[in-house]
């Protein structure tokens, strides 16, 4: 099937044979020929009609545009023949051809953009490779909106390379200023078409977050990029954790599990590299994860609670729950808290008990009391 064929199956009369570059070259060539004919007619009017250059140019332009004010005209037979041949037959015909080719070019360009086959030649852009199999439009909308919400990426060009949008990019994404190229990250020609060498960030999504075979496609894409020393710009999704080492050996900047409900994790990988690992761990019960402990904390500042847990190697306090069941995240260090529970980032294999947390806080309060008594005694002495 011809790639330039219209959706209804009828080929466009010229776009089917010519590329956009060929059409532009043809238009430029016609303009050059037209300009030469205009200059030739000006010279003919000066030589045959004894006009000034200004008069000859005025007559030429009014004749070409078919305005014909009548203030000037060719009177000699030779001048009239030159006008008919150069202007009416050749010049006006060329203008018609130029206009026709321009319309063809605009139609061709619009169709290529609509079907994702237009080369945008972007630089310093974010390249998104692959569209999620399910809910791709909604996922991309959230991802792009999160990017645009950050001042560093508010105006950064974004392009999607995927075979997922066969007919056209969804209008919701087009309205967000996202460009689309219909192709695959495993194809070198398609990677070249999206100007991958000039991309600021490259995000390779898993085609199907439920299918481990998606990692093969991801690996192939990353391998091709690594051949051009571009893998260090790549944030990659990996379905099967056993494949992480293979992707890491290719030099990927970050490797993440596909989390379709939270594209913000990828945003964090762009804005604050490394923070995505912390967020990813929060979604699992492996390694580091948040744990709730029921406690009774009064007359302590948040910084004292944090220090009590760290000194006892019990984890990092992240938030507390007050007596009204409100969760207070990342409190100010000097805030006096009245908590009935705290949320602590712990290691799975070293998770403490509620009693252990309470004991650590009690020991810390006792040390602080002794320290304050020592300070008071030293002042008295």
């Amino acid at each position: 099937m011809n790639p330039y064929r219209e959706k209804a199956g009828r080929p466009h009369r010229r776009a089917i044979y010519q590329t956009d570059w060929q059409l532009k070259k043809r238009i430029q060539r016609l303009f050059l020929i037209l300009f030469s004919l205009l200059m030739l007619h000006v010279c003919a009017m000066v030589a045959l009609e004894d006009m000034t250059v200004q008069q000859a140019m005025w007559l030429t332009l009014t004749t070409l545009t078919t305005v014909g004010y009548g203030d000037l005209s060719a009177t000699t037979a030779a001048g009239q023949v030159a006008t008919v041949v150069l202007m009416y037959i050749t010049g006006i015909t060329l203008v018609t051809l130029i206009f026709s080719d321009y319309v063809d070019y605009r139609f061709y360009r619009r169709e290529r953009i609509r079907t994702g086959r237009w080369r945008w030649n972007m630089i310093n852009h974010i390249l998104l490779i692959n569209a999620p199999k399910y809910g791709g439009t909604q996922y991309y909308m959230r991802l792009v909106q999160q990017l645009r919400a950050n001042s560093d990426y508010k105006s950064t060009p974004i392009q999607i390379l995927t075979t997922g949008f066969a007919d056209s990019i969804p209008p919701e994404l087009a309205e967000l200023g996202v460009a689309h190229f219909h192709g695959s990250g495993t194809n070198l020609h398609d990677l070249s078409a999206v100007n991958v060498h000039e991309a600021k960030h490259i995000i390779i999504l898993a085609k199907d977050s439920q299918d481990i075979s998606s990692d093969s496609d991801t690996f192939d894409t990353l391998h091709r990029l690594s051949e051009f020393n571009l893998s260090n710009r790549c944030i990659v999704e990996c379905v099967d954790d056993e494949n992480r080492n293979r992707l890491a050996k290719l030099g990927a900047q970050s490797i993440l599990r596909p989390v379709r409900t939270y594209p913000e994790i990828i945003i964090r990988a762009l804005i604050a590299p490394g923070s995505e690992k912390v967020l990813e761990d929060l979604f699992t019960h492996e390694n580091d994860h948040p744990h709730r402990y029921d406690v009774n904390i009064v007359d302590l500042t948040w910084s004292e609670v944090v220090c009590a847990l760290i000194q006892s190697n019990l984890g990092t306090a992240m938030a507390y729950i007050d007596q009204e069941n409100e969760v207070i995240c990342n409190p100010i260090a000097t805030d006096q808290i009245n908590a009935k529970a705290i949320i602590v980032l712990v290691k799975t294999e070293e998770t403490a008990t509620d009693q252990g947390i309470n004991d650590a806080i009690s020991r810390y309060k006792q040390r602080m009391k002794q320290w304050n008594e020592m300070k008071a005694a030293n002042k008295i002495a």
Side-chain angles (χ1 to χ4, degrees):
M1 180 180 292
N2 192 296
Y4 308 141
R5 194 175 292 270
E6 293 184 38
K7 187 175 181 180
R10 180 175 56 86
H12 186 258
R13 56 192 175 90
R14 185 175 290 116
I16 192 171
Y17 300 110
Q18 302 188 69
T19 66
D20 62 313
W21 179 83
Q22 289 172 321
L23 279 172
K24 286 191 288 187
K25 293 296 290 183
R26 175 183 165 85
I27 293 172
Q28 292 171 359
R29 186 166 57 251
L30 289 175
F31 264 117
L32 181 61
I33 295 172
L34 178 61
F35 179 78
S36 301
L37 290 174
L38 294 179
M39 293 300 99
L40 185 60
H41 185 262
V42 169
C43 294
M45 293 302 100
V46 171
L48 301 175
E49 300 293 334
D50 198 25
M51 294 182 182
T52 64
V53 173
Q54 181 180 355
Q55 290 174 327
M57 291 183 65
W58 174 251
L59 175 61
T60 299
L61 292 177
T62 55
T63 303
L64 177 68
T65 56
T66 68
V67 175
Y69 288 108
D71 54 340
L72 291 173
S73 61
T75 57
T76 66
Q80 292 171 348
V81 171
T83 298
V84 170
V85 173
L86 296 177
M87 290 291 96
Y88 288 106
I89 297 179
T90 310
I92 296 177
T93 301
L94 280 175
V95 170
T96 304
L97 288 174
I98 290 172
F99 179 76
S100 175
D101 281 347
Y102 178 74
V103 171
D104 282 347
Y105 173 75
R106 295 293 299 179
F107 177 85
Y108 175 88
R109 181 177 185 272
R110 184 172 62 251
E111 284 299 297
R112 297 280 285 180
I113 291 174
R114 186 185 67 82
T115 57
R117 292 178 175 85
W118 182 260
R119 297 187 62 153
W120 294 94
N121 294 322
M122 291 182 176
I123 59 173
N124 292 324
H125 57 297
I126 296 176
L127 177 61
L128 308 174
I129 300 178
N130 297 331
K133 184 176 181 180
Y134 305 104
T137 300
Q138 290 72 21
Y139 178 84
Y140 271 137
M141 285 184 63
R142 289 190 59 186
L143 181 63
V144 173
Q145 288 168 350
Q146 289 290 322
L147 280 170
R148 295 297 186 224
N150 186 274
S151 59
D152 292 338
Y153 300 103
K154 190 172 184 179
S155 57
T156 301
I158 300 174
Q159 186 168 18
I160 299 175
L161 172 63
T162 179
T163 57
F165 305 132
D167 295 328
S168 64
I169 188 173
E172 302 95 322
L173 286 175
E175 290 173 1
L176 293 175
V178 178
H180 163 234
F181 190 86
H182 185 83
S184 170
T186 61
N187 186 293
L188 290 177
H189 176 270
D190 294 341
L191 289 173
S192 175
V194 295
N195 225 17
V196 68
H197 292 84
E198 299 296 333
K200 185 175 183 179
H201 299 291
I202 304 170
I203 300 173
I204 306 175
L205 300 177
K207 287 185 175 181
D208 187 347
S209 59
Q210 305 299 321
D211 187 357
I212 61 175
S213 65
S214 296
D215 289 347
S216 297
D217 184 89
T218 301
F219 181 86
D220 192 7
T221 300
L222 185 62
H223 188 272
R224 290 187 181 278
L225 294 175
S226 69
E227 293 176 344
F228 301 108
N229 297 319
L230 298 174
S231 57
N232 60 338
R233 306 181 194 178
C234 296
I235 296 172
V236 180
E237 286 189 340
C238 179
V239 178
D240 188 352
D241 285 346
E242 293 184 0
N243 291 323
R244 284 185 171 233
N245 288 335
R246 298 178 64 214
L247 296 172
K249 289 178 181 178
L250 293 176
Q253 173 188 329
S254 182
I255 303 170
L256 301 169
R257 296 185 185 92
V259 183
R260 292 290 173 257
T261 53
Y262 289 96
E264 292 82 1
I265 295 180
I266 288 181
I267 306 301
R268 301 315 306 173
L270 295 179
I271 298 171
S275 62
E276 74 280 2
K277 177 62 177 176
V278 176
L279 292 174
E280 189 179 48
D281 278 352
L282 295 180
F283 286 93
T284 69
H285 199 69
E286 301 173 2
N287 302 320
D288 300 326
H289 70 275
H291 192 88
R292 172 179 169 139
Y293 293 99
D294 294 326
V295 296
N296 182 23
I297 301 176
V298 292
D299 298 330
L300 281 179
T301 64
W302 179 246
S303 62
E304 290 172 335
V305 173
V306 173
C307 289
L309 299 184
I310 291 177
Q311 289 180 3
S312 298
N313 196 30
L314 296 178
T316 304
M318 302 174 63
Y320 72 89
I321 301 171
D322 62 19
Q323 301 301 325
E324 286 74 37
N325 286 322
E326 183 178 357
V327 179
I328 311 299
C329 297
N330 194 25
I332 297 174
T334 55
D335 281 355
Q336 290 279 341
I337 69 171
N338 181 11
K340 67 177 185 179
I342 58 175
I343 306 298
V344 182
L345 185 65
V346 301
K347 292 188 177 299
T348 302
E349 66 277 10
E350 299 175 6
T351 304
T353 62
D354 289 352
Q355 186 60 46
I357 296 293
N358 280 293
D359 290 346
I361 293 174
S362 297
R363 288 194 299 269
Y364 183 84
K365 290 176 68 174
Q366 184 64 30
R367 287 196 300 269
M368 291 299 298
K369 180 180 179 181
Q370 294 173 353
W371 172 252
N372 290 330
E373 290 174 352
M374 289 177 60
K375 286 174 61 177
N378 289 334
K379 286 183 179 181
I380 294 174

